[in-house]
Amino acid sequence: MATDESVVRRYYLFRATNAAGFYLPISVLYLLDRGFGLGFVALVQATFSLAMLAAEIPSGYLGDRIGRRASLAVGSLLRAAGMAGYAFVDTPAGFVAMQAVWATGWAFRSGTGDAWLYELLARTCDDDEFARIKGRGSTVLLLTSAVTAIAGGLLYGVAHELPFLLSATLAVSGVPVLYTFPSVRVDDADADAFTVREAVRMLRVQASRESVRWLVAYVGLFYGLFGLARMVEQPALDVLGVPAAGLGVVFAAFKLVSAGAASTAGWFEDRLGARGVLGLLVPVFAVAFVLGALFPVLLVPTFFLYRSVRSVVQPVQNQYLNDRLADVGRATVLSGVSMVLSLSSGLLKLALGGIAERLGPLAFLPRVGAVLVVAASLLWFFTRPVRSGGSTTGVSGGGAAASD
C-alpha cells in the first residue's frame, strides 16, 4: 500500500505540538529555586510516574472504547492544565497535584498514541512503516523541543512561569490538528464485545507470554535508569557551572542529538532487529557508567547517550510489541506496558531520591547506573527477553503464541 504523505505530514505536525522544550531545561531548577531540595524533586517526579501508572489502564481502555482521537485530545487538554497550573501553585501539595494532572494527560497519549498510529497506518498507508514513521515523528518532536528549549532557558530569566504557560499553549494547539485525521476505531462489533473484564483478561494473557513479559521487565530497568538520570541532570549541570540560559542551549543540544538518533530507528531495526538493538543496551551503558565513575565530567556525554538510545529503542520496542498484539485491545495492552515502565521509574525515584540528595548528582548516577546495568545483564542472559516470531494473541486467543 502506498504511503499517504498527507496523513504522515499531519502526524508529524501533531507530534510537534507534544514538544516539551519550553519547560524541560528548567523544570527541576524551578523547584530548587523555590527552596525545595533534591529529595522533594524526587517525590514530585515519582508522583508523575505513579500517577501515570494509575491512569494508564483507564486511558488505554478509553482509547479502545471511545476512539483514539478523543482520547488523545483529552490527553492534550489535561497536559495543558497541569503545565499552566504549575505556574501558579506555590505549595508542596500544589506541585504534587499538578504533577498528577500533568501525568494523567501523558498517560492518555502513551499506549493510545502508538495504537492510533499503528492502526492509522494500517488503514491509510502500511503498518510495516510504523517504526520508520514513529522514529521520524520523534525526530520532529525532538527538533521542536530543541528550539523551544533555547527559548525556555532564555524566558526563564524574564519570568519563571513563562516556559510553563507557553508549553500549555502548545499542547492545546494539538487538539484541532487531531480532528483532521480519519477515524480509526475498531469494528463496532468488536468494540461492543470489549468489556472491562475482557481488558483485564487481555492483560493477563499478554503478561503470561514470555516474549512480552521479559521484554517489559528488561526495558523497565533502563526506563528506571533514564528516569533517575533525568532527575539529577539539571542539578549536575548546575554543579558544573551551567547557568539557566545555558541549560536551554544544552537541552536543545540534547534534543538535536536525540533527533538524529530517532531518525535512525528504522535503519537499526532493519539491520540489527529488536534483539540486536536491545542487546546493545548493557555493554553501551556499562562502558558509559564506568567512565562516569572515573571521570565525573564524562557524565555530560552520558546524558546525551541515554536520550539518544531511548529515541532509538522506543519505536523498536513498540514495533516488537505491536507485532504481537491483535487490533482489539491494542491500546489497553500498550498502556499496561507503559504502566509497568512508569512503576519502575517512580519506585526507583522514591527509593533513591534521599540517597541522591546525600551523595550529590555527580556521585549518585554512576553508582546506581552500574547496579541497574548488572541487573539488566543477568536478565538478558537468563530470560531471553527478545524472542523471534511476530504472531498475535488477542482476547480470544486464550494463550501464548506458539513462537513464545
Side-chain angles (χ1 to χ4, degrees):
M1 185 185 301
T3 300
D4 187 334
E5 294 297 334
S6 172
V7 168
V8 173
R9 285 194 298 270
R10 279 177 282 148
Y11 169 71
Y12 294 157
L13 177 60
F14 174 68
R15 289 284 281 167
T17 68
N18 287 274
F22 283 117
Y23 70 83
L24 190 61
I26 51 81
S27 58
V28 174
L29 189 62
Y30 184 73
L31 292 174
L32 297 178
D33 284 346
R34 287 176 173 264
F36 298 106
L38 198 52
F40 181 72
V41 171
L43 172 63
V44 168
Q45 293 197 356
T47 298
F48 186 95
S49 298
L50 296 177
M52 279 193 69
L53 165 66
E56 282 294 353
I57 297 303
S59 65
Y61 180 73
L62 283 173
D64 283 324
R65 291 294 293 177
I66 69 174
R68 314 303 191 206
R69 289 184 307 178
S71 182
L72 290 169
V74 169
S76 293
L77 294 174
L78 285 173
R79 286 188 295 109
M83 286 183 280
Y86 217 72
F88 296 105
V89 298
D90 58 6
T91 65
F95 285 116
V96 170
M98 287 303 101
Q99 283 289 102
V101 173
W102 198 339
T104 302
W106 280 102
F108 268 87
R109 106 173 183 185
S110 57
T112 299
D114 285 338
W116 172 67
L117 175 61
Y118 194 83
E119 292 164 12
L120 183 69
L121 294 177
R123 285 162 174 75
T124 64
C125 305
D126 184 353
D127 57 19
D128 287 339
E129 292 288 287
F130 175 88
R132 182 181 68 84
I133 293 174
K134 167 76 173 178
R136 290 185 178 178
S138 296
T139 301
V140 171
L141 174 66
L142 292 165
L143 289 172
T144 306
S145 294
V147 173
T148 53
I150 294 174
L154 294 172
L155 290 170
Y156 187 73
V158 177
H160 289 0
E161 297 78 16
L162 272 178
F164 298 98
L165 295 175
L166 289 173
S167 290
T169 302
L170 186 61
V172 169
S173 71
V175 175
V177 177
L178 274 172
Y179 283 89
T180 68
F181 291 97
S183 176
V184 286
R185 295 183 62 133
V186 297
D187 292 340
D188 290 340
D190 289 334
D192 290 341
F194 193 65
T195 64
V196 173
R197 181 175 302 206
E198 293 290 1
V200 173
R201 184 184 172 199
M202 167 77 74
L203 290 170
R204 187 183 302 118
V205 167
Q206 296 299 340
S208 71
R209 300 175 63 195
E210 292 187 346
S211 63
V212 173
R213 180 174 69 242
W214 292 119
L215 181 279
V216 174
Y218 175 77
V219 173
L221 290 172
F222 287 98
Y223 270 70
L225 176 58
F226 297 157
L228 291 170
R230 293 190 66 172
M231 180 182 77
V232 301
E233 64 189 4
Q234 289 180 36
L237 291 168
D238 186 54
V239 169
L240 293 172
V242 180
L247 286 176
V249 176
V250 171
F251 274 73
F254 285 163
K255 294 300 183 182
L256 290 173
V257 171
S258 298
S263 67
T264 67
W267 184 91
F268 275 106
E269 187 197 34
D270 289 343
R271 284 155 182 79
L272 300 179
R275 183 172 177 81
V277 171
L278 295 171
L280 285 174
L281 291 176
V282 168
V284 166
F285 281 104
V287 171
F289 287 118
V290 167
L291 292 175
L294 296 174
F295 309 101
V297 71
L298 293 182
L299 287 176
V300 176
T302 300
F303 294 150
F304 284 91
L305 174 67
Y306 85 77
R307 288 171 176 275
S308 301
V309 167
R310 184 171 180 177
S311 297
V312 172
V313 165
Q314 189 174 43
V316 173
Q317 156 206 317
N318 287 341
Q319 178 80 62
Y320 175 89
L321 291 170
N322 267 304
D323 287 343
R324 286 156 178 79
L325 302 175
D327 283 346
V328 178
R330 184 188 307 277
T332 298
V333 176
L334 292 178
S335 286
V337 172
S338 292
M339 178 182 70
V340 174
L341 300 181
S342 295
L343 179 63
S344 171
S345 180
L347 291 180
L348 282 172
K349 287 173 183 175
L350 281 177
L352 302 176
I355 297 174
E357 189 162 2
R358 287 195 298 273
L359 292 178
L362 297 180
F364 168 76
L365 192 56
R367 288 167 171 77
V368 71
V371 172
L372 292 177
V373 167
V374 169
S377 66
L378 293 174
L379 199 63
W380 180 267
F381 286 111
F382 288 107
T383 69
R384 291 175 52 239
V386 182
R387 311 204 173 196
S388 61
S391 58
T392 61
T393 301
V395 172
S396 61
S403 62
D404 289 351

